[in-house]
């Protein structure tokens, strides 16, 4: 049995080290996010990231093994946490159409309030596996829920998921590029509801229901 | 008044020179298309293109002023000609829903029969201005035609255009990535018809109508 550490009552030195590590990691993550948002993922090299973060390449390798790995980490942190909050918001919603609509509306609003996030997602693009990994299963789950409850009429969930995903990215591109975007979230949700087989009048009603705020989710630091 | 050329009866030397120029230009275009399809537009530099075409950088500048200019030329040649053929195919179609559906189905089928073309379009991505320039106005025109004839119900043509565009790119990504794609063109067209307000049963009927072949368009060489 190991002896209890003498410093167990006060923050151990490891913790300060840990905080510094997190700070450095966050600098790399922030730099990568901004660069990808600006230039597109394929144009950002490892050295661009270290230069923007004002850190050495050796330091980079203490945190990530490659350019792709840090981009995946940015995607994970930028989108997974939003996905988790949407899951929590919709978990008790009885209507599958509202689940689908509310999540899509929040994604559009998030890009309007945080254009850097919007550009990052847009620049990752429809072919980026990480984006598909995070958003794809959620969209497919929500679509299946709608089909199972008789709310949606879809002949192929996989194609419908791809369509929602692509339409979302293109709409995010639209909102981060154009000057005013009031109501785009509703218009987009309405289009997606129609796409999955909700009749237009009903789609308009569902898409304009009051949008509940996204709950905060405590993430382990 | 200039004297008539002595060589006017036989092909002038300029013509051979012209043919060689066209051949060299086509080599550059083909190399650029393949590289963008493989790596994404942001990862392809001017020197990658000249290397793949086995031509010098100096030669490149005899044809294009920059990497962006050749990518735009590839996009123009790859997509504009297809757009012109779709225009011709649909010009006499009385039903706006069929115009829209037939064009989308041909785009999906084209990516299935020519995956390099599909990857090129997918890798250009939802944010590429040239792609938006070529496909956007056509989609918007077809959507307006549907709205004007009472066939479509859309609250915002611009957002609907963005959604169609994104959904198309994502579906093209799906068809160039997945092994079998029979009927994807119909499923996709059906989803898009629903999205613009055609009721699901009617969308299924329109999307599965016999698809007329794309007419050939003679392009000036």
């Amino acid at each position: 049995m190991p002896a209890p550490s003498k410093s167990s009552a006060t923050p151990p030195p490891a913790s300060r080290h840990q905080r510094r590590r997190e700070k450095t990691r966050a600098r790399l993550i922030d730099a990568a996010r901004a660069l990808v948002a600006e230039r597109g993922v394929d144009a950002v090299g490892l050295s661009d990231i270290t230069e923007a973060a004002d850190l050495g390449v050796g330091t980079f390798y203490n945190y990530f093994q490659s350019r792709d790995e840090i981009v995946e980490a940015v995607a994970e942190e930028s989108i997974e946490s939003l996905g988790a909050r949407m899951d929590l918001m919709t978990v008790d919603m009885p209507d599958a159409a509202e689940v689908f609509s509310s999540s899509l509306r929040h994604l559009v609003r998030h890009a309007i309030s945080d254009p850097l996030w919007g550009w990052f997602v847009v620049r990752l693009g429809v072919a980026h596996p990480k984006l598909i990994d995070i958003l794809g299963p959620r969209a497919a789950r929500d679509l299946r829920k709608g089909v199972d409850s008789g709310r949606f009429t879809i002949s192929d969930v996989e194609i419908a998921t791809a369509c929602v995903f692509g339409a979302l990215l293109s709409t995010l591109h639209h909102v981060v590029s154009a000057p005013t975007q009031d109501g785009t979230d509703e218009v987009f949700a309405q289009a997606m509801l129609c796409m999955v087989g909700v009749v237009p009048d009903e789609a308009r009603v569902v898409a304009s229901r009051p949008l509940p705020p996204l709950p905060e989710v405590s993430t382990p630091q």
Side-chain angles (χ1 to χ4, degrees), chain A:
Chain A
M1 196 179 170
S5 162
K6 265 171 133 181
S7 60
S8 64
T10 53
S15 165
R16 198 170 18 173
H17 172 70
Q18 188 57 28
R19 282 200 305 275
R20 203 168 48 218
R21 265 191 74 83
E22 273 158 22
K23 231 170 142 176
T24 307
R25 187 176 183 280
R27 258 167 76 185
L28 289 165
I29 289 271
D30 288 347
R33 180 187 290 119
L35 285 168
V36 170
E38 186 194 332
R39 304 183 193 170
V41 60
D42 298 321
V44 177
L46 200 152
S47 60
D48 299 320
I49 297 168
T50 53
E51 205 170 296
D54 198 18
L55 292 165
V57 171
T59 307
F60 179 95
Y61 283 114
N62 288 333
Y63 296 83
F64 303 100
Q65 285 181 21
S66 65
R67 196 278 315 250
D68 285 352
E69 195 180 293
I70 191 172
V71 171
E72 292 199 1
V74 177
E76 185 80 31
E77 293 182 19
S78 306
I79 304 158
E80 179 57 43
S81 65
L82 201 61
R85 293 170 70 192
M86 294 193 301
D87 290 349
L88 199 61
M89 172 188 71
T90 56
V91 71
D92 290 324
M93 278 186 186
D95 179 8
E98 189 165 354
V99 168
F100 184 59
S101 162
S102 306
S103 300
L104 294 175
R105 289 177 64 194
H106 268 299
L107 286 164
V108 172
R109 288 191 180 196
H110 199 75
I112 294 171
S113 66
D114 184 355
L116 187 65
W117 178 87
W119 274 114
F120 175 78
V121 174
V122 169
R123 295 261 194 237
L124 276 195
V126 295
H128 200 277
K130 192 71 190 176
L131 212 50
I132 298 172
D133 280 356
I134 298 174
L135 292 175
R138 287 197 161 87
R141 175 200 63 194
D142 290 348
L143 291 177
R144 274 197 204 94
K145 205 172 154 180
V147 172
D148 292 345
S149 64
R151 198 77 161 113
F152 298 165
T153 309
I154 303 170
S155 55
D156 185 317
V157 170
E158 223 177 313
I159 305 288
T161 303
C163 288
V164 173
F165 180 54
L168 172 68
L169 259 59
S170 187
T171 299
L172 295 190
H173 177 248
H174 182 76
V175 300
V176 293
S177 309
T180 54
Q181 297 303 341
D182 288 349
T184 301
D185 62 314
E186 291 184 30
V187 174
F188 174 63
Q190 191 186 326
M192 293 300 97
L193 286 168
C194 287
M195 196 184 80
V196 297
V198 178
V199 294
D201 285 346
E202 173 69 4
R204 191 174 305 115
V205 170
V206 173
S208 59
R209 283 188 192 151
L211 181 63
L214 274 184
E216 290 299 332
V217 175
S218 61
T219 49
Q221 286 298 314

mmCIF file of all heavy atoms in Angstrom, chain A residues 17-45:
data_model
loop_
_atom_site.group_PDB
_atom_site.id
_atom_site.type_symbol
_atom_site.label_atom_id
_atom_site.label_comp_id
_atom_site.label_asym_id
_atom_site.label_seq_id
_atom_site.Cartn_x
_atom_site.Cartn_y
_atom_site.Cartn_z
ATOM 1 N N HIS A 17 1.246 21.490 -13.108
ATOM 2 C CA HIS A 17 1.796 20.991 -14.369
ATOM 3 C C HIS A 17 0.657 20.646 -15.336
ATOM 4 O O HIS A 17 0.698 20.972 -16.528
ATOM 5 C CB HIS A 17 2.636 19.748 -14.070
ATOM 6 C CG HIS A 17 3.102 19.029 -15.295
ATOM 7 N ND1 HIS A 17 4.059 19.535 -16.149
ATOM 8 C CD2 HIS A 17 2.718 17.838 -15.829
ATOM 9 C CE1 HIS A 17 4.246 18.687 -17.147
ATOM 10 N NE2 HIS A 17 3.442 17.653 -16.976
ATOM 11 N N GLN A 18 -0.356 20.014 -14.763
ATOM 12 C CA GLN A 18 -1.514 19.606 -15.566
ATOM 13 C C GLN A 18 -2.205 20.831 -16.157
ATOM 14 O O GLN A 18 -2.595 20.839 -17.330
ATOM 15 C CB GLN A 18 -2.487 18.811 -14.669
ATOM 16 C CG GLN A 18 -3.635 18.154 -15.421
ATOM 17 C CD GLN A 18 -3.148 17.205 -16.523
ATOM 18 O OE1 GLN A 18 -2.073 16.632 -16.436
ATOM 19 N NE2 GLN A 18 -3.941 17.084 -17.580
ATOM 20 N N ARG A 19 -2.336 21.870 -15.315
ATOM 21 C CA ARG A 19 -2.997 23.089 -15.804
ATOM 22 C C ARG A 19 -2.205 23.716 -16.939
ATOM 23 O O ARG A 19 -2.765 24.218 -17.909
ATOM 24 C CB ARG A 19 -3.170 24.089 -14.657
ATOM 25 C CG ARG A 19 -4.329 23.756 -13.719
ATOM 26 C CD ARG A 19 -4.769 24.967 -12.916
ATOM 27 N NE ARG A 19 -3.677 25.577 -12.165
ATOM 28 C CZ ARG A 19 -3.267 25.178 -10.954
ATOM 29 N NH1 ARG A 19 -3.862 24.162 -10.354
ATOM 30 N NH2 ARG A 19 -2.274 25.781 -10.339
ATOM 31 N N ARG A 20 -0.886 23.705 -16.776
ATOM 32 C CA ARG A 20 -0.053 24.278 -17.825
ATOM 33 C C ARG A 20 -0.183 23.465 -19.113
ATOM 34 O O ARG A 20 -0.267 24.013 -20.208
ATOM 35 C CB ARG A 20 1.411 24.337 -17.371
ATOM 36 C CG ARG A 20 2.211 25.393 -18.137
ATOM 37 C CD ARG A 20 3.554 25.660 -17.511
ATOM 38 N NE ARG A 20 4.260 24.434 -17.219
ATOM 39 C CZ ARG A 20 5.013 24.223 -16.133
ATOM 40 N NH1 ARG A 20 5.145 25.173 -15.232
ATOM 41 N NH2 ARG A 20 5.636 23.079 -15.952
ATOM 42 N N ARG A 21 -0.219 22.164 -18.921
ATOM 43 C CA ARG A 21 -0.406 21.286 -20.091
ATOM 44 C C ARG A 21 -1.713 21.608 -20.816
ATOM 45 O O ARG A 21 -1.778 21.684 -22.040
ATOM 46 C CB ARG A 21 -0.437 19.805 -19.663
ATOM 47 C CG ARG A 21 0.890 19.095 -19.769
ATOM 48 C CD ARG A 21 0.717 17.584 -19.598
ATOM 49 N NE ARG A 21 0.124 16.938 -20.778
ATOM 50 C CZ ARG A 21 0.811 16.575 -21.852
ATOM 51 N NH1 ARG A 21 2.109 16.784 -21.926
ATOM 52 N NH2 ARG A 21 0.195 15.996 -22.880
ATOM 53 N N GLU A 22 -2.780 21.783 -20.034
ATOM 54 C CA GLU A 22 -4.085 22.074 -20.631
ATOM 55 C C GLU A 22 -4.081 23.408 -21.368
ATOM 56 O O GLU A 22 -4.705 23.549 -22.419
ATOM 57 C CB GLU A 22 -5.171 22.080 -19.551
ATOM 58 C CG GLU A 22 -5.727 20.692 -19.297
ATOM 59 C CD GLU A 22 -6.381 20.565 -17.943
ATOM 60 O OE1 GLU A 22 -6.782 21.591 -17.372
ATOM 61 O OE2 GLU A 22 -6.471 19.417 -17.450
ATOM 62 N N LYS A 23 -3.377 24.355 -20.780
ATOM 63 C CA LYS A 23 -3.291 25.679 -21.406
ATOM 64 C C LYS A 23 -2.562 25.601 -22.748
ATOM 65 O O LYS A 23 -2.990 26.200 -23.742
ATOM 66 C CB LYS A 23 -2.514 26.621 -20.473
ATOM 67 C CG LYS A 23 -3.231 27.928 -20.191
ATOM 68 C CD LYS A 23 -2.546 28.675 -19.090
ATOM 69 C CE LYS A 23 -2.539 30.160 -19.362
ATOM 70 N NZ LYS A 23 -1.950 30.914 -18.240
ATOM 71 N N THR A 24 -1.475 24.857 -22.764
ATOM 72 C CA THR A 24 -0.701 24.705 -24.006
ATOM 73 C C THR A 24 -1.527 23.970 -25.053
ATOM 74 O O THR A 24 -1.579 24.351 -26.232
ATOM 75 C CB THR A 24 0.594 23.911 -23.729
ATOM 76 O OG1 THR A 24 1.288 24.539 -22.654
ATOM 77 C CG2 THR A 24 1.479 23.886 -24.952
ATOM 78 N N ARG A 25 -2.203 22.916 -24.589
ATOM 79 C CA ARG A 25 -3.048 22.145 -25.501
ATOM 80 C C ARG A 25 -4.145 23.045 -26.092
ATOM 81 O O ARG A 25 -4.416 23.014 -27.292
ATOM 82 C CB ARG A 25 -3.678 20.972 -24.748
ATOM 83 C CG ARG A 25 -4.436 20.007 -25.636
ATOM 84 C CD ARG A 25 -4.945 18.808 -24.847
ATOM 85 N NE ARG A 25 -5.609 17.849 -25.723
ATOM 86 C CZ ARG A 25 -6.858 17.980 -26.161
ATOM 87 N NH1 ARG A 25 -7.584 19.010 -25.783
ATOM 88 N NH2 ARG A 25 -7.381 17.080 -26.969
ATOM 89 N N ALA A 26 -4.744 23.871 -25.243
ATOM 90 C CA ALA A 26 -5.816 24.764 -25.696
ATOM 91 C C ALA A 26 -5.291 25.760 -26.727
ATOM 92 O O ALA A 26 -5.991 26.115 -27.685
ATOM 93 C CB ALA A 26 -6.429 25.495 -24.510
ATOM 94 N N ARG A 27 -4.032 26.209 -26.533
ATOM 95 C CA ARG A 27 -3.442 27.138 -27.509
ATOM 96 C C ARG A 27 -3.310 26.481 -28.877
ATOM 97 O O ARG A 27 -3.594 27.099 -29.911
ATOM 98 C CB ARG A 27 -2.053 27.588 -27.036
ATOM 99 C CG ARG A 27 -2.067 28.987 -26.434
ATOM 100 C CD ARG A 27 -0.816 29.291 -25.696
ATOM 101 N NE ARG A 27 0.320 29.586 -26.554
ATOM 102 C CZ ARG A 27 1.560 29.792 -26.082
ATOM 103 N NH1 ARG A 27 1.782 29.724 -24.771
ATOM 104 N NH2 ARG A 27 2.539 30.063 -26.893
ATOM 105 N N LEU A 28 -2.874 25.232 -28.864
ATOM 106 C CA LEU A 28 -2.752 24.499 -30.132
ATOM 107 C C LEU A 28 -4.121 24.285 -30.769
ATOM 108 O O LEU A 28 -4.304 24.480 -31.975
ATOM 109 C CB LEU A 28 -2.063 23.140 -29.889
ATOM 110 C CG LEU A 28 -0.573 23.203 -29.546
ATOM 111 C CD1 LEU A 28 -0.088 21.874 -28.969
ATOM 112 C CD2 LEU A 28 0.246 23.577 -30.785
ATOM 113 N N ILE A 29 -5.079 23.901 -29.946
ATOM 114 C CA ILE A 29 -6.443 23.646 -30.441
ATOM 115 C C ILE A 29 -7.043 24.926 -31.046
ATOM 116 O O ILE A 29 -7.615 24.910 -32.138
ATOM 117 C CB ILE A 29 -7.341 23.133 -29.281
ATOM 118 C CG1 ILE A 29 -6.942 21.700 -28.882
ATOM 119 C CG2 ILE A 29 -8.822 23.232 -29.633
ATOM 120 C CD1 ILE A 29 -7.638 20.600 -29.637
ATOM 121 N N ASP A 30 -6.907 26.035 -30.315
ATOM 122 C CA ASP A 30 -7.459 27.306 -30.800
ATOM 123 C C ASP A 30 -6.818 27.722 -32.119
ATOM 124 O O ASP A 30 -7.494 28.198 -33.041
ATOM 125 C CB ASP A 30 -7.254 28.412 -29.755
ATOM 126 C CG ASP A 30 -8.165 28.225 -28.553
ATOM 127 O OD1 ASP A 30 -9.103 27.397 -28.639
ATOM 128 O OD2 ASP A 30 -7.931 28.882 -27.520
ATOM 129 N N ALA A 31 -5.498 27.550 -32.190
ATOM 130 C CA ALA A 31 -4.793 27.919 -33.416
ATOM 131 C C ALA A 31 -5.265 27.056 -34.582
ATOM 132 O O ALA A 31 -5.521 27.555 -35.689
ATOM 133 C CB ALA A 31 -3.286 27.765 -33.218
ATOM 134 N N ALA A 32 -5.390 25.767 -34.336
ATOM 135 C CA ALA A 32 -5.823 24.854 -35.405
ATOM 136 C C ALA A 32 -7.234 25.193 -35.860
ATOM 137 O O ALA A 32 -7.525 25.223 -37.063
ATOM 138 C CB ALA A 32 -5.755 23.403 -34.918
ATOM 139 N N ARG A 33 -8.113 25.480 -34.912
ATOM 140 C CA ARG A 33 -9.509 25.800 -35.258
ATOM 141 C C ARG A 33 -9.564 27.046 -36.147
ATOM 142 O O ARG A 33 -10.231 27.066 -37.183
ATOM 143 C CB ARG A 33 -10.343 26.014 -33.999
ATOM 144 C CG ARG A 33 -11.810 26.339 -34.311
ATOM 145 C CD ARG A 33 -12.595 26.707 -33.062
ATOM 146 N NE ARG A 33 -12.811 25.568 -32.194
ATOM 147 C CZ ARG A 33 -12.378 25.456 -30.943
ATOM 148 N NH1 ARG A 33 -11.696 26.428 -30.381
ATOM 149 N NH2 ARG A 33 -12.647 24.385 -30.230
ATOM 150 N N ALA A 34 -8.827 28.089 -35.727
ATOM 151 C CA ALA A 34 -8.856 29.347 -36.485
ATOM 152 C C ALA A 34 -8.281 29.156 -37.887
ATOM 153 O O ALA A 34 -8.825 29.667 -38.871
ATOM 154 C CB ALA A 34 -8.080 30.425 -35.727
ATOM 155 N N LEU A 35 -7.193 28.403 -37.984
ATOM 156 C CA LEU A 35 -6.554 28.209 -39.294
ATOM 157 C C LEU A 35 -7.437 27.392 -40.227
ATOM 158 O O LEU A 35 -7.563 27.708 -41.411
ATOM 159 C CB LEU A 35 -5.194 27.513 -39.121
ATOM 160 C CG LEU A 35 -4.069 28.406 -38.584
ATOM 161 C CD1 LEU A 35 -2.867 27.565 -38.166
ATOM 162 C CD2 LEU A 35 -3.645 29.430 -39.648
ATOM 163 N N VAL A 36 -8.037 26.332 -39.697
ATOM 164 C CA VAL A 36 -8.916 25.506 -40.543
ATOM 165 C C VAL A 36 -10.129 26.323 -40.979
ATOM 166 O O VAL A 36 -10.553 26.261 -42.141
ATOM 167 C CB VAL A 36 -9.356 24.223 -39.801
ATOM 168 C CG1 VAL A 36 -10.457 23.495 -40.570
ATOM 169 C CG2 VAL A 36 -8.159 23.297 -39.598
ATOM 170 N N ALA A 37 -10.672 27.112 -40.060
ATOM 171 C CA ALA A 37 -11.833 27.949 -40.391
ATOM 172 C C ALA A 37 -11.499 28.923 -41.511
ATOM 173 O O ALA A 37 -12.321 29.216 -42.377
ATOM 174 C CB ALA A 37 -12.303 28.701 -39.149
ATOM 175 N N GLU A 38 -10.258 29.404 -41.492
ATOM 176 C CA GLU A 38 -9.856 30.424 -42.465
ATOM 177 C C GLU A 38 -9.480 29.816 -43.814
ATOM 178 O O GLU A 38 -9.878 30.320 -44.868
ATOM 179 C CB GLU A 38 -8.662 31.187 -41.887
ATOM 180 C CG GLU A 38 -8.204 32.366 -42.705
ATOM 181 C CD GLU A 38 -6.833 32.858 -42.254
ATOM 182 O OE1 GLU A 38 -6.492 32.668 -41.053
ATOM 183 O OE2 GLU A 38 -6.109 33.390 -43.087
ATOM 184 N N ARG A 39 -8.708 28.730 -43.795
ATOM 185 C CA ARG A 39 -8.101 28.230 -45.037
ATOM 186 C C ARG A 39 -8.661 26.914 -45.547
ATOM 187 O O ARG A 39 -8.400 26.546 -46.692
ATOM 188 C CB ARG A 39 -6.597 27.994 -44.809
ATOM 189 C CG ARG A 39 -5.843 29.191 -44.316
ATOM 190 C CD ARG A 39 -4.374 28.855 -44.213
ATOM 191 N NE ARG A 39 -3.662 29.862 -43.453
ATOM 192 C CZ ARG A 39 -2.414 29.742 -43.038
ATOM 193 N NH1 ARG A 39 -1.740 28.635 -43.306
ATOM 194 N NH2 ARG A 39 -1.834 30.691 -42.349
ATOM 195 N N GLY A 40 -9.341 26.197 -44.709
ATOM 196 C CA GLY A 40 -9.730 24.837 -45.106
ATOM 197 C C GLY A 40 -8.716 23.850 -44.580
ATOM 198 O O GLY A 40 -7.512 24.138 -44.526
ATOM 199 N N VAL A 41 -9.179 22.683 -44.215
ATOM 200 C CA VAL A 41 -8.349 21.711 -43.508
ATOM 201 C C VAL A 41 -7.132 21.279 -44.331
ATOM 202 O O VAL A 41 -6.037 21.121 -43.781
ATOM 203 C CB VAL A 41 -9.197 20.494 -43.054
ATOM 204 C CG1 VAL A 41 -9.831 19.768 -44.225
ATOM 205 C CG2 VAL A 41 -8.393 19.541 -42.210
ATOM 206 N N ASP A 42 -7.294 21.141 -45.632
ATOM 207 C CA ASP A 42 -6.200 20.614 -46.440
ATOM 208 C C ASP A 42 -5.046 21.592 -46.606
ATOM 209 O O ASP A 42 -3.951 21.198 -47.000
ATOM 210 C CB ASP A 42 -6.721 20.196 -47.823
ATOM 211 C CG ASP A 42 -7.744 19.088 -47.716
ATOM 212 O OD1 ASP A 42 -7.554 18.200 -46.882
ATOM 213 O OD2 ASP A 42 -8.738 19.127 -48.459
ATOM 214 N N ALA A 43 -5.294 22.858 -46.340
ATOM 215 C CA ALA A 43 -4.254 23.864 -46.530
ATOM 216 C C ALA A 43 -3.501 24.184 -45.239
ATOM 217 O O ALA A 43 -2.638 25.036 -45.225
ATOM 218 C CB ALA A 43 -4.860 25.141 -47.103
ATOM 219 N N VAL A 44 -3.851 23.491 -44.153
ATOM 220 C CA VAL A 44 -3.216 23.787 -42.876
ATOM 221 C C VAL A 44 -2.221 22.692 -42.524
ATOM 222 O O VAL A 44 -2.590 21.527 -42.361
ATOM 223 C CB VAL A 44 -4.274 23.919 -41.753
ATOM 224 C CG1 VAL A 44 -3.591 24.142 -40.415
ATOM 225 C CG2 VAL A 44 -5.225 25.070 -42.064
ATOM 226 N N GLY A 45 -0.958 23.080 -42.432
ATOM 227 C CA GLY A 45 0.073 22.124 -42.052
ATOM 228 C C GLY A 45 0.370 22.208 -40.570
ATOM 229 O O GLY A 45 -0.026 23.156 -39.894
#
